[in-house]
């Protein structure tokens, strides 16, 4: 995904845009660019690299402008492929994918246009220039009518004082304060916009000094209600921590507390009362990456609690699988951002097949919530680090509460109590887990494998994902019982295996897998919940980390040492854990 921002009716547009791009940089950091309006002229600066590569653009000034930070999809990161794209008095930034760009490009080339970039986005500015005959609205309407795919656009034209913002399947938030603003998310508007509104799919905003006017893709006038920028939309910077990742790990107890509090609101209670009245024959959980791991972890306890089959699958696989009717199915789509294309599309598919769709998300105004029948709140607060940490724990908390609420009042009260205890356990684990030696071992290992059984298996998958994405140390997560069926061939003295043990009933079994690793000369570390320690394991494993035991929310507690190990390994190896190479915070393309 990419980040887009725009402003109008301001004194130093370039300063506002530059700061906004720094806030949006988690959405992509392959290239950055800014166009500003100075008098009747549009001035553009764009470069490959991070936002800091266009630091000089801060001095451009201007009364209106647009900006972009890119996660490359079509065309490698380069100056030419950086946005904004300019032509015929227009300048455009785009987040999304123009699926029919090849056909449009061919048509435009046949008409004599020359393209400068390899991007899909450049066709938008060519279409605008083609259709502009002195009427900006008409040019925008004719252009969007030709586009297929997903697009959030901000547009400048030399004859228009302000900017135009267009939303289709990718987010655009508009804001007003001392000027008019638009951005891909709310944190980028904090400090500049006092009041905000979320554009709906198929809406266009025209912003100038006098304020906003809105219309739909047919040109009919539309209206939007602005409300104060919510406090949780403010990221608050790194607050004295060296990186967002460690700041956000430290915010896990607050994420759990706020998520539990959100379940107490009247709206949430009503939604669950409605859900309890329905008789589901199965529950399907879907998500990508970390969100999928939270779903998988929740499926174990969920099935036990509600007594019907609960399955979890990655959204990218689920959406393309053929299936029959999903009547009687609760389909819970789990996504921090609520923007991940595969997850949103999986939810749409499930809804079309008759499922009741729940959005388990940290972003209440996201695309996912607009598809869903009900919203299951995660309240982790703005998560800026590309690696998900506090949102994972928030998702585990929300899914645990969701299943216990479905199981009935007694279970819900029990889960609330257990979550309150887990919050304290997390705070303890964050300050007491000594991970430095394990992180050093990870940093020098040829590969790191994570193993676990039962609900510790998704924890192992998540530990492995976290480590590789921020440190680039290769590795994998396996069910502990699978090790001997093949993966054990990978074990040698250069590898480290991290075992997660939080269930006393399965502890001895995972301990056997650790024994097998040690017997082959592999190094081993164990993350073990209190009271689950198999005899003699502490002596055999090279590293042993004890965490408090939460019977209902084990994945929340074991996540803390695993996230800390990943963070410290990244720092030891000199990586930037907040912005790992090749990644973006969420993936709005297939
Ligand atoms: O916003 P989402 O939760 O839908 O994002 C899903 C994944 O892209 C995300 O969890 C990704 O795996 C993170 N980089 C993990 O740290």
């Amino acid at each position: 995904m990419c980040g887009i921002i725009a402003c109008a009716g301001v004194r130093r547009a370039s300063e506002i845009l530059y700061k906004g791009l720094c806030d949006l940089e988690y959405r992509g950091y392959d290239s950055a660019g800014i166009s500003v309006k100075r008098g009747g002229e549009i001035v553009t600066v764009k470069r490959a690299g991070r936002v800091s590569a266009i630091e000089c653009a801060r001095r451009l000034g201007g009364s209106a402008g647009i900006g972009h930070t890119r996660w490359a999809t079509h065309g490698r990161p380069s100056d030419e492929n950086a946005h904004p794209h300019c032509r015929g008095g227009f300048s455009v930034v785009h987040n999304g994918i123009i699926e029919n760009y090849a056909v449009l490009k061919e048509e435009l080339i046949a008409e004599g246009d020359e393209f400068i970039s390899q991007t899909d986005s450049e066709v938008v500015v060519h279409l605008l220039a083609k259709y502009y005959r002195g009427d900006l609205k008409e040019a925008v309407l004719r252009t969007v009518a030709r586009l297929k795919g997903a697009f959030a656009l901000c547009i400048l034209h030399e004859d228009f004082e302000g900017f135009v913002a267009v939303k289709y399947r990718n987010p655009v938030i508009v804001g007003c304060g001392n000027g008019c603003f638009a951005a891909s998310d709310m944190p980028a508007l904090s400090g500049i916009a006092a009041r905000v509104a979320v554009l709906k799919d198929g809406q266009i905003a025209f912003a100038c000094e006098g304020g906003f006017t809105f219309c739909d893709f047919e040109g009919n006038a539309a209206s939007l209600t602005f409300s104060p920028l919510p406090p949780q939309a403010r990221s608050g910077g790194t607050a004295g921590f060296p990186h967002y990742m460690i700041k956000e790990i430290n915010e896990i107890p607050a994420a759990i507390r706020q998520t539990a509090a959100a379940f107490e609101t009247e709206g949430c209670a009503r939604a669950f009362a409605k859900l309890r009245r329905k008789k589901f024959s199965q529950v399907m959980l879907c998500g990508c990456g970390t969100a999928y791991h939270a779903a998988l972890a929740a499926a174990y306890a969920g099935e036990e609690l509600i007594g019907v089959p609960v399955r979890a699958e990655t959204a990218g696989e689920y959406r393309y699988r053929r299936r029959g009717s999903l009547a009687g199915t609760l389909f819970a789509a789990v996504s921090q951002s609520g923007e991940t294309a595969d997850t949103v599309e999986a939810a749409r598919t499930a809804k079309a097949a008759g499922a009741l769709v729940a959005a388990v998300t940290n972003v209440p105004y996201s695309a996912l919530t607009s598809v869903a029948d009900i919203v299951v709140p995660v309240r982790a607060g703005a998560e800026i680090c590309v690696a998900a940490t506090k949102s994972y724990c928030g998702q585990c908390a929300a899914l645990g509460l969701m299943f216990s609420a479905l199981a009935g009042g007694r279970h819900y009260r029990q889960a609330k109590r257990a979550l309150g205890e887990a919050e304290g356990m997390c705070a303890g684990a964050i300050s007491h887990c000594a991970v430095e030696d394990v992180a050093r071992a990870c940093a020098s290992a040829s590969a790191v494998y994570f193993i676990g059984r039962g609900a510790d298996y998704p924890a192992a998958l998540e530990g492995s994902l976290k480590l590789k994405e921020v440190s680039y140390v290769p590795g994998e997560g396996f069910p502990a019982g699978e090790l001997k069926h093949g993966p054990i061939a990978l074990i040698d003295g250069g590898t480290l295996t991290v075992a997660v043990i939080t269930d006393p009933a399965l502890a001895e079994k995972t301990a056997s897998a650790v024994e097998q690793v040690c017997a082959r000369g592999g190094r081993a570390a164990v993350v073990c919940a209190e009271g689950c320690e198999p005899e003699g394991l502490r002596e055999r494993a090279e590293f042993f980390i004890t965490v408090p035991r939460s019977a209902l929310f084990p994945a929340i507690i074991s996540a803390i040492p695993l996230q800390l190990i990943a963070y410290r390994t990244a720092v030891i190896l000199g990586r930037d854990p907040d912005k790992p190479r090749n990644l973006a915070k969420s993936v709005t393309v297939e």
Side-chain angles (χ1 to χ4, degrees):
M1 63 181 180
C2 304
I4 61 173
I5 184 157
C7 61
V10 297
R11 290 219 351 244
R12 285 187 66 80
S14 57
E15 284 288 352
I16 291 171
L17 296 170
Y18 185 82
K19 186 208 160 270
L21 289 182
C22 292
D23 290 338
L24 289 169
E25 201 172 15
Y26 73 90
R27 299 177 69 90
Y29 28 88
D30 287 330
S31 65
I34 281 175
S35 283
V36 294
K37 272 214 74 186
R38 280 197 316 217
E41 194 195 12
I42 293 176
V43 185
T44 300
V45 172
K46 56 182 191 169
R47 301 240 192 299
R50 294 194 171 187
V51 174
S52 55
I54 56 158
E55 222 265 335
C56 60
R58 293 174 76 161
R59 290 182 288 278
L60 289 175
S63 57
I66 57 177
H68 189 269
T69 179
R70 176 170 187 245
W71 185 66
T73 57
H74 296 61
R76 64 186 178 86
S78 67
D79 292 356
E80 299 76 45
N81 290 334
H83 300 215
H85 296 290
C86 302
R87 185 180 173 88
F90 283 96
S91 179
V92 174
V93 291
H94 168 224
N95 172 32
I97 293 268
I98 308 299
E99 283 169 3
N100 58 337
Y101 87 98
V103 177
L104 293 171
K105 194 168 173 175
E106 208 177 305
E107 169 190 314
L108 291 156
I109 289 172
E111 289 168 7
D113 281 13
E114 276 175 27
F115 279 74
I116 295 164
S117 77
Q118 289 84 51
T119 66
D120 55 328
S121 313
E122 196 186 340
V123 296
V124 179
V125 78
H126 283 253
L127 288 173
L128 285 164
K130 168 176 167 163
Y131 292 128
Y132 186 67
R133 300 275 179 274
D135 183 338
L136 180 62
K137 184 174 169 183
E138 194 199 334
V140 173
L141 292 177
R142 291 187 70 181
T143 297
V144 296
R146 301 291 315 277
L147 304 177
K148 290 201 177 107
F151 43 95
L153 304 167
C154 288
I155 303 165
L156 284 185
H157 185 259
E158 56 192 19
D159 294 341
F160 183 58
E161 276 314 300
F163 66 84
V164 184
V166 177
K167 156 144 172 78
Y168 188 69
R169 293 204 162 173
N170 283 123
V172 179
I173 321 296
V174 290
C176 48
N178 287 328
C180 291
F181 308 94
S184 300
D185 76 9
M186 288 205 194
L189 295 177
S190 101
I192 49 173
R195 298 173 69 75
V196 291
V198 181
L199 279 191
K200 293 198 186 80
D201 273 343
Q203 286 188 326
I204 304 173
F206 291 84
C208 61
E209 243 176 295
F212 281 103
T213 53
F214 301 100
C215 72
D216 63 20
F217 281 9
E218 269 73 55
N220 307 308
S223 66
L224 255 79
T225 313
F226 282 76
S227 37
L229 185 85
Q232 67 268 24
R234 293 166 219 273
S235 100
T238 52
F241 287 95
H243 299 99
Y244 278 106
M245 184 170 179
I246 187 67
K247 177 197 174 218
E248 289 165 2
I249 292 172
N250 275 271
E251 288 170 345
I252 287 172
I256 294 171
R257 188 168 57 251
Q258 288 154 10
T259 299
F263 271 72
E264 295 297 300
T265 58
E266 232 176 83
C268 205
R270 252 200 320 273
F272 276 102
K274 195 168 128 194
L275 274 191
R276 263 197 306 273
R277 282 196 295 276
K278 300 211 183 265
K279 289 275 168 273
F280 295 111
S281 55
Q282 62 165 345
V283 179
M284 187 69 221
L285 302 169
C286 246
C288 297
T290 292
Y292 164 66
H293 297 153
L296 199 57
Y300 285 85
E303 185 155 318
E304 242 181 84
L305 271 166
I306 63 170
V308 299
V310 179
R311 287 190 301 123
E313 192 171 334
T314 58
E317 289 300 313
Y318 182 82
R319 62 180 288 204
Y320 292 113
R321 206 148 48 73
R322 277 207 264 177
R323 71 189 65 76
S325 160
L326 290 179
T329 300
L330 171 61
F331 182 93
V334 188
S335 171
Q336 186 284 130
S337 61
E339 274 188 65
T340 302
D342 282 333
T343 309
V344 176
E345 289 311 316
R348 277 202 183 98
T349 315
K351 193 169 174 170
L356 188 132
V357 173
V360 185
T361 183
N362 196 29
V363 181
Y365 52 84
S366 56
L368 189 59
T369 55
S370 64
V371 172
D373 299 295
I374 71 155
V375 177
V376 175
V378 176
R379 290 285 180 276
E383 190 176 66
I384 305 300
C385 176
V386 165
T389 54
K390 60 177 179 170
S391 66
Y392 170 72
C393 295
Q395 286 161 354
C396 291
L399 288 166
L401 289 175
M402 178 186 91
F403 280 116
S404 58
L406 288 175
R410 181 171 61 84
H411 294 283
Y412 178 67
R413 284 190 294 280
Q414 208 180 349
K416 281 278 290 189
R417 256 196 319 278
L419 202 53
E421 287 161 15
E423 183 194 325
M425 292 175 186
C426 285
I430 291 164
S431 40
H432 294 120
C433 277
V435 300
E436 202 58 23
D437 291 344
V438 185
R440 285 194 185 287
C442 289
S444 60
S446 55
V448 181
Y449 303 112
F450 290 76
I451 58 170
R453 271 182 190 259
D456 292 333
Y457 165 53
L461 290 178
E462 177 56 13
S464 175
L465 172 63
K466 210 84 314 170
L467 181 70
K468 59 188 157 222
E469 77 177 319
V470 298
S471 73
Y472 321 147
V473 174
E476 217 42 78
F478 302 113
E482 279 295 300
L483 196 69
K484 57 187 176 295
H485 296 291
I488 200 160
L490 296 165
I491 303 297
D492 63 19
T495 65
L496 176 73
T497 300
V498 182
V500 184
I501 302 177
T502 68
D503 183 348
L506 299 171
E508 292 291 348
K509 306 284 174 205
T510 306
S512 311
V514 176
E515 298 280 2
Q516 292 154 19
V517 166
C518 295
R520 270 89 190 160
R523 304 176 78 185
V526 178
V527 170
C528 188
E530 280 161 2
C532 299
E533 189 175 332
E535 226 182 285
L537 191 62
R538 188 181 288 267
E539 289 71 44
R540 277 187 300 282
E542 193 175 339
F543 310 100
F544 203 92
I545 297 169
T546 308
V547 289
R549 175 157 190 258
S550 165
L552 286 184
F553 294 100
I556 294 183
I557 315 295
S558 62
I560 288 172
L562 300 179
Q563 292 175 0
L564 289 171
I565 289 168
Y567 172 69
R568 285 302 309 159
T569 307
V571 173
I572 290 166
L573 289 172
R575 319 288 192 218
D576 177 350
D578 289 344
K579 297 189 186 82
R581 70 182 177 205
N582 305 338
L583 286 173
K585 180 81 185 140
S586 79
V587 185
T588 54
V589 295
E590 288 176 42

